[in-house]
Amino acid sequence: MLPIRKMIGDGVALNIIPTDKFKTNCISVRFLCPMAEETAALNALLPSVLKRGCLRLPTMADIVKELQMLYGSELQGNVGRFGDTQYLGFTSFPLRNEYTEGMNVSAEILSLMSELINKPLLENGVLKAEYVESEKRTLTDRVKAAINNKTSYAIRRCVEEMGKGDPSSIPDTGTVEQIAAVTPEALTKRLNEIINTANIEIWCAGVFDTDKLENDCVKFFVSENRASRQNTEVTPIAPAEKVNTVTEDQPVKQGKLSLGFTTTLRPTPEASTAFNLFLGVLSSAPTSKLFMNVREKLSLCYYCYAIPDRQKGTIVISSGIEVDKKEVAEKAIISEIEAIKNGDVTDDELEGARKSLISGWKSICDDEMAMINWYSAQTVWDRFISPEDCVENCKALTVSDVSAVASTLTLHTVYFLNGTLKGESEDEDYE
Amino acid sequence: MNKPITVKSKLLGETYTVVTHKSGLKIYVFPKDLTSSYCLIATRFGSVDNTFKVGDEQDYVTVPDGVAHFLEHKMFENEDGEDTFVKFARTGADANAYTSFRVTAYLCSCVDELYPSLEILLTSVFSPYFTEENVKKEQGIIAQEIRQGEDNPSNAVQYGMLEGLYERNSVRINIAGTVPSIMKITPETLYRCHKAFYNPANMALCVCGQATLDEVLAVADKCLHGIEPIPVVSQTVTEGKTAARKRVTKKMQVSKPIVCIGVKDVGISSDPEERVKKSIAFDLISAICFEKSSDFYASLYESGLISPSFSTWYEHTESFSFFSIFTDTDEPEALYEKFEEYTQKGLIDAITPESFERARRVLYSAFIKSFDSTEDIANDLIVDFALEGADIFKYTDHVKNITADYVIKVAKELFKPEAYTMSVVEPI
């Protein structure tokens, strides 16, 4: 079932995916802004500061208690990126009325989201300083803690190296310095800018009284002062003239290798299916070349997989290896891509990837969040492509389509996190 | 084969059928009108089962740490040289496996070819094929998995907490073992463990989705024959009530200290439904006394002693039981003092009729939501309930009938400072 999309205000879209297969609904409200150094930290702080308290429910405990009474509904604050866009907002999975003795929890949740955004807790006309400072501290800790997870750290570092000077190198949390510079005044100003100028995408999957839902959304999210929408276009990363090599030492046992590639393929509805099939053959299917050859045959690593950014036209291939196997692993991974370029793809590899993708697409309708993620990534296009459309498109693709995708790839950056610790667990002591 | 029993839940509007196959395998068929179906077969063989005897053997034999997990990695490899993942790729199924302290589970989800996929799953799990060469290859892969885990500070602090609580119980040992321990694993070790624990009578299967009992049974008949039931007994160890160590400290590259405070519990009932009831009490204690709506959380968050990474982790099973809190903090000892002070006074006062009702709604809602996914249904039904000897549909009755007095009683018995330990990962 395709979403029903309606513009309910200047730059405000309501998207409804009707389905009665689930015991819960899913509601996600997202504000979209251009990724920019001046606003990244402000945007990243807003959902967590707003969740600390609003006019009616001034403390975090008050809000959580209200959510618990709304049948244990969670209210997630979201911050993320998509192409050169940073989004922020809230998501919740309220129980359907059948399980709540008739209470319309979904309507209550939407109303609560609106309260957090439109009726925040203010002191002297600005967001409460204590909450702002406390969330700045928390976000700073999170930015610093990014180094704890070596896998994601090594991927992120590769992306930064590839996008120097580009919005993609801006962390979606902002930097420690940008966070430190945030004041309650600046954050309050930013909140008002977002309410009035950000593109707003409201996603609702499940069973709804659609008239009431639309009226509520207009009332809650279309402000009187809405002005022109913000630019959310994307500039892909250009291929490198010379491969950029970066090595960083850290006191860990395992080395992390990230190979960053650019592709000249642009994510149109037509091209995206072939791109996915290529990723299946390379990495995501159980028969993939990286899994079967680099892990199973060469026994080089526990994981080796590709992380694509379709909007930015990049693919990072990440793996965890013994530090003295860097050259071997790099060569092995690149040779798998070369093999696909040369059409060296077996029937098992192609059909395995095709079946795996088709199963994945067909099961998207088994999960409301998956449906929302699927369609919300398509709002840059002029129409929606359903998972079923992709299934049909995919059936006709051949090895030469997959090779053609591989031929658009160029190695851009080799990032290596060099582990300097050796051997078994040390530094342990008992009392 | 005994007569199939159909169990209904009026509240959920769901039904499942359970039957014991002639091989001894318990089979659960749970119809669900979603596109993808999910099959899960699991054995009562986890990382804690490292010392056991089979059949009429006199003595217990100890196997290297990490063997259950190692065996899990090897079961998708076949004598015909074709990896099980490749076989699944032909039916379009997505397959995986995992090992916990208590169980090893194999699973696949599929959209189109359910019964052929089920056949591949069952055939793989009951066809061991281990050679010197394929064991050696796997040692390389698992060594990298272990290294990755050892570099993860959250894992390290949690295992540190278990090392702090337990003197002998194998729950204190990393599920995957250590690099030296897995190097001792041989094809013979694996065959012995497979013979002991992969007996259908020690296992359970759930098929959730577009499935019928007759067709599932037809596949089981085809894949499971000629296997005699053999009893297997894991050695049980007795543990004192007090924590083995008060502090366990490790140094790693972290931005600030990470802390896990654990509480050991030795009050474990032999009645599975009693254990479900007590684990619900743990859930309620966590929700009422430690989560974001609690005064404890609010005051510690305000004072900066805990961060949003704060979480609780608790397990209440037949072979071990503990309750723990996890967070990063600049002041581990100050946090420990607050924890001890709160659990000795204040915590019980937090359990009011109002907070109790709110927490119960949260639990009820999470349980209902889990029936939106064939994956959650199959995992919960087999791993949390069937293999523990309990019934998933009785859960809502327990949630309905549990009282605040019972939760208070559990809390009072649980929080004794001599049973506490603190594990800390400090920055290098």
Side-chain angles (χ1 to χ4, degrees):
Chain A
M1 174 74 89
L2 290 175
I4 301 157
R5 179 178 175 84
K6 187 172 175 185
M7 299 308 293
I8 57 169
D10 184 10
V12 185
L14 171 62
N15 306 272
I16 302 174
I17 307 175
T19 167
D20 61 2
K21 286 204 292 186
F22 306 98
K23 298 185 199 307
T24 52
N25 288 334
C26 178
I27 300 173
S28 188
V29 178
R30 299 172 185 185
F31 296 79
L32 278 51
C33 326
M35 184 56 116
E37 287 190 3
E38 312 79 64
T39 50
L42 292 164
N43 293 345
L45 278 166
L46 268 175
S48 46
V49 170
L50 297 178
K51 268 184 74 179
R52 290 296 300 277
C54 62
L55 195 60
R56 181 172 66 87
L57 303 163
T59 70
M60 177 164 58
D62 292 331
I63 291 176
V64 176
K65 284 176 188 168
E66 169 108 344
L67 288 166
Q68 289 175 335
M69 287 310 278
L70 293 174
Y71 287 82
S73 304
E74 247 186 294
L75 185 64
Q76 304 168 351
N78 311 123
V79 179
R81 65 192 313 144
F82 176 76
D84 291 336
T85 296
Q86 186 182 25
Y87 65 82
L88 59 139
F90 298 104
T91 300
S92 184
F93 302 87
L95 277 187
R96 273 172 54 186
N97 302 355
E98 291 91 315
Y99 303 98
T100 59
E101 296 157 297
M103 183 197 266
N104 188 345
V105 177
S106 298
E108 298 284 338
I109 285 289
L110 199 66
S111 166
L112 180 60
M113 287 179 182
S114 149
E115 267 188 274
L116 298 186
I117 295 160
N118 297 311
K119 294 177 185 160
L121 185 64
L122 300 180
E123 269 180 1
N124 309 319
V126 296
L127 290 164
K128 189 172 159 124
E130 183 195 331
Y131 290 170
V132 174
E133 283 312 311
S134 150
E135 293 307 320
K136 277 169 67 178
R137 197 174 61 210
T138 300
L139 186 61
T140 305
D141 284 350
R142 216 178 82 212
V143 172
K144 289 183 178 166
I147 201 167
N148 295 1
N149 183 333
K150 306 300 168 193
T151 306
S152 56
Y153 176 81
I155 295 167
R156 181 68 208 146
R157 284 287 297 114
C158 184
V159 171
E160 278 172 10
E161 287 291 333
M162 290 177 80
K164 277 184 188 154
D166 180 88
S168 62
S169 67
I170 303 171
D172 51 19
T173 50
T175 61
V176 171
E177 295 74 26
Q178 287 160 357
I179 297 166
V182 170
T183 61
E185 289 73 19
L187 200 60
T188 313
K189 181 166 164 268
R190 183 66 194 151
L191 173 63
N192 291 323
E193 278 168 13
I194 283 175
I195 292 171
N196 293 326
T197 67
N199 285 349
I200 305 176
E201 292 281 338
I202 304 164
W203 287 88
C204 301
V207 177
F208 298 92
D209 171 347
T210 46
D211 290 339
K212 176 175 167 48
L213 179 65
E214 188 181 327
N215 288 335
D216 283 351
C217 286
V218 170
K219 189 169 76 189
F220 294 151
F221 302 110
V222 181
S223 67
E224 285 170 18
N225 308 320
R226 272 198 74 78
S228 63
R229 287 176 270 160
Q230 300 197 3
N231 174 25
T232 48
E233 279 176 10
V234 56
T235 312
I237 300 289
E241 283 166 18
K242 183 172 161 281
V243 177
N244 174 25
T245 305
V246 182
T247 300
E248 208 178 311
D249 284 348
Q250 279 193 17
V252 291
K253 292 172 188 165
Q254 190 179 54
K256 301 281 183 189
L257 180 64
S258 300
L259 300 182
F261 294 84
T262 54
T263 165
T264 49
L265 202 69
R266 295 297 158 250
T268 60
E270 290 69 29
S272 70
T273 313
F275 187 67
N276 284 320
L277 189 60
F278 161 75
L279 285 172
V281 169
L282 177 70
S283 160
S284 64
T287 48
S288 75
K289 285 178 173 289
L290 292 182
F291 182 82
M292 280 300 172
N293 299 336
V294 179
R295 169 178 147 143
E296 294 288 306
K297 277 202 190 118
L298 299 174
S299 194
L300 279 172
C301 51
Y302 171 61
Y303 73 92
C304 181
Y305 55 81
I307 304 105
D309 185 331
R310 294 171 172 79
Q311 296 298 311
K312 295 300 290 180
T314 62
I315 297 175
V316 175
I317 298 178
S318 162
S319 64
I321 54 175
E322 288 291 337
V323 287
D324 59 1
K325 294 281 166 55
K326 187 215 164 200
E327 271 73 32
V328 184
E330 183 180 332
K331 220 173 124 192
I333 292 166
I334 289 171
S335 78
E336 295 304 334
I337 292 176
E338 286 303 317
I340 302 177
K341 272 187 197 169
N342 297 331
D344 177 10
V345 176
T346 66
D347 280 353
D348 271 351
E349 286 167 342
L350 184 72
E351 296 314 317
R354 200 190 317 264
K355 286 229 169 174
S356 159
L357 280 176
I358 289 177
S359 287
W361 284 325
K362 284 187 176 175
S363 51
I364 283 172
C365 63
D366 285 348
D367 180 329
E368 290 168 319
M369 195 70 230
M371 287 193 269
I372 289 179
N373 286 338
W374 173 266
Y375 287 113
S376 63
Q378 299 179 7
T379 51
V380 286
W381 299 340
D382 56 359
R383 62 196 157 104
F384 286 122
I385 307 289
S386 71
E388 295 78 30
D389 295 335
C390 285
V391 170
E392 285 313 309
N393 295 344
C394 187
K395 284 179 181 164
L397 296 175
T398 64
V399 171
S400 67
D401 296 302
V402 174
S403 301
V405 175
S407 302
T408 67
L409 262 59
T410 314
L411 183 60
H412 185 290
T413 294
V414 177
Y415 172 85
F416 187 55
L417 194 157
N418 184 39
T420 54
L421 280 188
K422 294 275 177 298
E424 269 309 286
S425 314
E426 55 278 295
D427 302 324
E428 293 186 21
D429 54 70
Y430 295 142
E431 276 174 28
Chain B
M1 192 178 81
N2 62 3
K3 201 166 165 287
I5 300 165
T6 298
V7 186
K8 284 186 185 170
S9 166
K10 204 174 150 209
L11 171 79
L12 295 163
E14 308 280 6
T15 301
Y16 70 81
T17 303
V18 54
V19 63
T20 305
H21 185 254
K22 59 192 175 212
S23 62
L25 181 69
K26 267 209 167 167
I27 299 177
Y28 294 79
V29 176
F30 196 118
K32 189 80 192 166
D33 186 23
L34 290 173
T35 311
S36 59
S37 297
Y38 199 90
C39 310
L40 181 139
I41 183 164
T43 166
R44 286 184 196 86
F45 183 35
S47 62
V48 298
D49 302 292
N50 61 357
T51 302
F52 59 90
K53 60 182 180 183
V54 188
D56 51 11
E57 288 174 359
Q58 291 299 306
D59 298 319
Y60 286 103
V61 174
T62 299
V63 290
D65 292 335
V67 76
H69 170 258
F70 200 101
L71 187 56
E72 172 229 299
H73 269 240
K74 292 310 310 165
M75 288 314 299
F76 279 176
E77 223 160 293
N78 303 296
E79 197 165 0
D80 63 10
E82 188 176 66
D83 198 284
T84 299
F85 286 114
V86 177
K87 296 182 195 288
F88 275 123
R90 286 199 197 100
T91 62
D94 193 3
N96 213 334
Y98 63 84
T99 308
S100 68
F101 294 124
R102 301 260 303 154
V103 302
T104 311
Y106 298 85
L107 46 103
C108 69
S109 72
C110 47
V111 169
D112 292 319
E113 298 177 47
L114 170 60
Y115 301 109
S117 302
L118 178 61
E119 189 177 330
I120 296 169
L121 183 72
L122 295 184
T123 306
S124 291
V125 170
F126 293 106
S127 311
Y129 175 66
F130 314 123
T131 63
E132 294 288 345
E133 192 193 351
N134 75 18
V135 167
K136 193 159 183 282
K137 183 208 82 178
E138 207 65 34
Q139 284 165 337
I141 295 171
I142 294 178
Q144 288 312 312
E145 186 179 2
I146 292 171
R147 292 265 186 261
Q148 190 178 335
E150 286 173 348
D151 283 341
N152 180 324
S154 306
N155 277 2
V157 80
Q158 286 175 334
Y159 278 110
M161 181 274 289
L162 295 172
E163 288 161 23
L165 289 186
Y166 295 100
E167 195 63 63
R168 285 189 294 277
N169 196 310
S170 315
V171 68
R172 65 199 288 279
I173 298 162
N174 193 319
I175 290 172
T178 61
V179 174
S181 80
I182 61 153
M183 292 304 172
K184 292 184 203 134
I185 292 171
T186 64
E188 291 69 39
T189 330
L190 297 176
Y191 277 116
R192 176 178 158 77
C193 292
H194 188 274
K195 193 178 168 202
F197 290 100
Y198 285 59
N199 191 287
N202 192 48
M203 305 174 82
L205 166 72
C206 177
V207 181
C208 181
Q210 309 276 358
T212 68
L213 179 64
D214 286 348
E215 286 181 278
V216 171
L217 282 173
V219 178
D221 285 345
K222 198 170 162 189
C223 302
L224 300 167
H225 44 76
I227 313 172
E228 291 295 317
I230 310 174
V232 55
V233 184
S234 277
Q235 191 175 41
T236 50
V237 290
T238 47
E239 279 274 350
K241 286 182 180 175
T242 52
R245 294 162 194 86
K246 292 309 286 178
R247 295 287 182 275
V248 176
T249 310
K250 304 177 186 185
K251 283 195 191 299
M252 294 177 78
Q253 202 204 22
V254 287
S255 49
K256 65 152 95 172
I258 303 179
V259 167
C260 187
I261 300 175
V263 181
K264 185 179 183 178
D265 171 36
V266 290
I268 300 172
S269 168
S270 57
D271 175 357
E273 295 297 341
E274 275 301 313
R275 292 201 297 272
V276 171
K277 211 176 133 188
K278 188 160 171 181
S279 62
I280 291 172
F282 277 23
D283 274 326
L284 292 169
I285 290 169
S286 166
I288 297 168
C289 308
F290 292 99
E291 284 176 15
K292 286 181 182 161
S293 59
S294 69
D295 293 343
F296 174 77
Y297 184 99
S299 72
L300 266 58
Y301 189 85
E302 281 311 317
S303 61
L305 271 181
I306 59 172
S307 79
S309 71
F310 179 90
S311 60
T312 55
W313 176 38
Y314 40 92
E315 299 263 0
H316 184 70
T317 75
E318 201 177 353
S319 45
F320 53 85
S321 172
F322 61 83
F323 187 95
S324 69
I325 63 166
F326 167 97
T327 188
D328 45 286
T329 180
D330 285 318
E331 297 176 76
E333 291 300 333
L335 175 66
Y336 184 86
E337 267 177 42
K338 288 277 181 201
F339 178 80
E340 188 173 311
E341 185 191 314
Y342 174 62
T343 51
Q344 293 313 293
K345 54 176 190 187
L347 180 141
I348 299 294
D349 298 336
I351 308 171
T352 64
E354 189 242 339
S355 67
F356 180 77
E357 175 54 25
R358 277 191 279 111
R360 199 157 60 164
R361 280 196 191 191
V362 173
L363 228 60
Y364 163 86
S365 143
F367 183 71
I368 291 185
K369 284 175 189 179
S370 70
F371 287 86
D372 270 348
S373 142
T374 55
E375 178 177 352
D376 289 352
I377 293 170
N379 277 287
D380 293 351
L381 194 156
I382 296 293
V383 176
D384 293 346
F385 291 91
L387 287 184
E388 294 284 337
D391 174 12
I392 193 167
F393 284 165
K394 282 196 186 146
Y395 182 88
T396 42
D397 295 337
H398 290 306
V399 173
K400 203 160 72 185
N401 297 330
I402 204 162
T403 62
D405 285 344
Y406 174 76
V407 176
I408 290 170
K409 181 172 152 274
V410 170
K412 281 185 173 162
E413 284 166 7
L414 179 66
F415 292 111
K416 302 267 168 65
E418 63 272 21
Y420 298 0
T421 190
M422 179 162 72
S423 158
V424 186
V425 169
E426 293 171 345
I428 289 174

